[in-house]
Amino acid sequence: MISLDKVELNKMCIIKRLDFSDKALAHRLMELGLYQGVEIKTIKRSTFKKTLLVEFMHSIFALKTQTAEHIWVECL
Amino acid sequence: MKKVIIIGNPNTGKTTLFNSLTRSNAHTGNWHGVTVDALQKVVKYKSQEYMFIDIPGLYSLNYFSMEEKVSADVIAQNRDAIFLYIVDANCLERNLYLAMQLIEQGVQFNIIINNYKYFKKQGNSIDVQKLSNLLQRKCIVADARKVKLNDDILSVPVINTHTDYVDNLPIEKIETILQKNNINNTKQKAFNILENEIIDEKLPENDINLIKKYFNNYFDYLLKCRYEKINNICQKCLNYRQKRAYGESKLDKYLLNKILFFIIFGAIIFSGMFLIFFLVGPILTDLFLNVINFAVKMPIMAIIEKVTSSEFLINFFDQGVFSAGLAVLGFLPQVCLLFMMLAVLEESGLLSRMAFMLDDLFYPLGLNGKSAYSMLMGFGCSTTATLTAKNMTEKNARVKTAILTPYMSCSAKLPVYSVIAGSIFGAKSFWVILGLYLLGIVVAILLAFVLEKTILPSKNSDFLLEFPPMRAPSIGQFVKVAYTNAKHFFVKVFTIIFGVNIIVWLLSNINFSLTYVGESGDSITYGICRFISPVFAPLGLNNAYIVSALIIGLIAKELILSNISIHNKVDMDFDQIKSSIVAVGSAVVFTKASAVSFLVFCLLYSPCISNIAVLYSEIGKKYATIAVVIQFVLAYVLGALAYALFRHSVGYLFIVIVCVSMILVSLIMLIKRAKNRNFGACNNCNKCKNNNICHK
């Protein structure tokens, strides 16, 4: 299991758990579909790698790398 | 009157649907969070009046930002309304989460499935009838851009849906406690309390403790149940063959490239500006002005001159009404072009790419990519752009964005730049105008840095942005943008600008005994402004009429130009205005140095009173006051610096730099003191800004 920010680009993974201290952010991510068992793929890193583009549930979202650090995944 | 409320996730087409159903022209965009406040319009259909309400998009009733709170509140307070729940067929799965929450709470709504054509084109399909049966809500496939008001949309069948997984939840028990304390909208609040384990309501301690007994991590339970149900529904009625994710584009290969991105965006912005200020804009402006002159001004003035021989009345209509007002109206083509350029960025989906690529650069400033949207919109209208900061979740980043947005030079300043820079710098005026736009950006960056290090340090700013698909803006959208902004500009010119111009002309042509004196040293304006004008001497603007133009410019920046034309008694011909401000003997006259300081001052001081009002309402009294004070201090200081630089006076420049440094150091020290004294932070720790409770 590794955190999402460390996953190679274009690799499909499955979300295993979210370990946020910020409950509101965790809830929001889960409501958007980032919950256990969902498939996720990293697409692109921004210029200085502070932001990450990910694909899940047929949609693309940009999120902070520091947010991705708290999303634990298992790569397929 | 029956209310019809349009709800849904961000960027699903709510405002587009609102526009189609109400025949409105509300601002839309291919970006999440364009609508930041509820829009309303009353429409008569089959002799019944309906009030249509378009609310900001929300992903869930557990609101996460201010704009989501607005929407959640509207939904809670209008349970008897007709709800139209719009979903994007391409993101149906995610869009159904909010629908589940609404169904659990017994909200009745129709589902409008938008963007189905694109979805089908990708080889996908939805069994709409099955979806409707499973959700127990009427589902209608409709293109939000083309749909017309009909009975099918407005008739919402009342179906009491039973959601078995909420049976075991202590919702009713919490509702009883809330009702006992006279709290409204108890159902939605009870769900919020159970899911978030946060009690926002003011309740007696006994009741709080009672509610807390029911806390049992219901969020995870409800999330699981909702998504299980959604997955079940989607498996039964969604045929998904699409390989590419919604929002992915072939162009992203270039647009999200670290180097190409800056080249492409730089080229778009530069060519747009070149087109507006140099190539097409001035030609259209001259043409437009000539048409107005021949078609409107000359015939009306001929009639007035026939009817009366009074010098006062002829001058009043000639200078006070026509020349001043129409001089501003002449900029209509350039303003429309500017908004059309912004529309390209907004409608195409480029903005989200820009927000993603710029997020890294904004990070050290305690901002995030979403600020880029507000700031870019600031080039159109500072006031509406300031409102868009609402979609940012982190408070300090939101406040900072609202403070910085007015530094992006708005369209109202465009006529001032064009005329003043054009008359003083001639062919080089394009570079001066471009320099002003860049100066605004540089000042905003430096100010963001100072704010980040002093009163508004960012916490871990969470940046979460949905990527919309790239799409070419249609000609219809261009026409709509041009029409909407032209209409807005016309209304502004014929109301505020004409009204204020008449007052200014009267004040500049009558004395304190209310006798007509013409534009002279006896006028009321001159009498008042000559006392203030020495304050502007370090900027080379020690001129009562220039000061009066700057003061009036606080109402609307376009008024500066009309003010100058009133004081210089010139016709609405731009060449006349331009030549008058360099002619010796004119009331308003500029040198190269004073023109630059004037332009810098115009760029940096408050855009208008409505922007100040929005700042006060959006970020509160304290921060708004700080923002306005900083605007004036920076405008004054940098204006003086620019004046010194362009006068090539080394001694003077040295004095100005010393003074500027002293003012800036004092300002930073003041801000730091304010941080410790007024903003709740103590000297022991830095964590108590929000709740005034020291953590040590």
Side-chain angles (χ1 to χ4, degrees), chain B residues 578-642:
Chain B
K578 282 178 181 176
S579 52
S580 79
I581 59 175
V582 284
V584 182
S586 291
V588 175
V589 67
F590 289 104
T591 61
K592 196 181 263 185
S594 65
V596 174
S597 78
F598 183 80
L599 291 173
V600 170
F601 194 89
C602 283
L603 166 77
L604 299 173
Y605 86 121
S606 292
C608 57
I609 284 178
S610 54
N611 183 264
I612 297 174
V614 164
L615 277 176
Y616 273 86
S617 71
E618 292 301 306
I619 60 174
K621 214 161 74 180
K622 275 180 197 166
Y623 288 118
T625 308
I626 289 174
V628 174
V629 169
I630 291 175
Q631 282 169 358
F632 279 93
V633 170
L634 282 176
Y636 190 86
V637 168
L638 291 179
L641 205 62

Side-chain angles (χ1 to χ4, degrees), chain B residues 318-328 497 501 561-563 565-566:
Chain B
D318 186 24
Q319 292 160 14
V321 178
F322 287 112
S323 297
L326 298 184
V328 176
I497 293 174
N501 278 343
L561 190 65
S562 48
N563 239 268
S565 74
I566 288 174

Side-chain angles (χ1 to χ4, degrees), chain B residues 278-489:
Chain B
F278 206 71
L279 218 58
V280 182
I283 299 167
L284 287 178
T285 296
D286 275 348
L287 196 74
F288 186 64
L289 220 50
N290 284 336
V291 171
I292 304 170
N293 202 4
F294 282 107
V296 183
K297 190 192 166 185
M298 282 166 71
I300 295 178
M301 279 312 295
I303 295 168
I304 291 167
E305 279 167 12
K306 263 186 191 173
V307 171
T308 178
S309 58
S310 157
E311 189 196 349
F312 171 79
L313 282 177
I314 291 171
N315 283 344
F316 172 73
F317 282 104
D318 186 24
Q319 292 160 14
V321 178
F322 287 112
S323 297
L326 298 184
V328 176
L329 197 61
F331 280 92
L332 181 69
Q334 289 195 25
V335 170
C336 286
L337 280 174
L338 182 70
F339 278 102
M340 280 158 88
M341 185 182 95
L342 291 175
V344 173
L345 295 171
E346 219 181 345
E347 292 289 343
S348 60
L350 280 168
L351 267 178
S352 305
R353 274 81 186 162
M354 187 180 81
F356 172 70
M357 294 304 282
L358 290 180
D359 187 58
D360 279 0
L361 301 178
F362 280 33
Y363 183 77
L365 305 172
L367 299 167
N368 64 46
K370 283 185 186 173
S371 312
Y373 174 71
S374 303
M375 291 187 187
L376 198 75
M377 289 300 110
F379 289 114
C381 173
S382 301
T383 307
T384 46
T386 305
L387 283 168
T388 61
K390 235 181 201 167
N391 72 28
M392 301 180 71
T393 47
E394 208 250 304
K395 190 193 164 199
N396 284 2
R398 189 173 68 238
V399 172
K400 241 183 292 183
T401 305
I403 291 176
L404 300 176
T405 302
Y407 292 96
M408 305 301 118
S409 195
C410 72
S411 62
K413 293 171 187 170
L414 193 146
V416 185
Y417 297 163
S418 290
V419 169
I420 310 258
S423 66
I424 306 282
F425 297 97
K428 289 178 190 163
S429 64
F430 171 71
W431 297 104
V432 175
I433 295 170
L434 193 67
L436 284 167
Y437 275 81
L438 291 176
L439 178 67
I441 296 169
V442 171
V443 169
I445 291 170
L446 294 175
L447 184 59
F449 192 72
V450 173
L451 292 172
E452 172 67 14
K453 296 289 169 205
T454 54
I455 54 170
L456 290 167
S458 59
K459 294 158 203 161
N460 290 337
S461 178
D462 41 284
F463 174 63
L464 204 59
L465 181 72
E466 193 175 348
F467 250 46
M470 291 288 292
R471 58 182 180 216
S474 65
I475 293 169
Q477 276 167 323
F478 275 127
V479 173
K480 200 188 103 184
V481 168
Y483 168 75
T484 312
N485 289 294
K487 192 176 142 194
H488 181 76
F489 195 72

Side-chain angles (χ1 to χ4, degrees), chain B residues 25 28-29 243 257 268 354 380 421 507 515-516 601 604 663 665:
Chain B
N25 279 312
T28 57
K243 281 181 186 160
N257 180 291
I268 291 173
M354 187 180 81
L507 292 175
T515 315
Y516 176 63
F601 194 89
L604 299 173
I663 291 170
V665 169

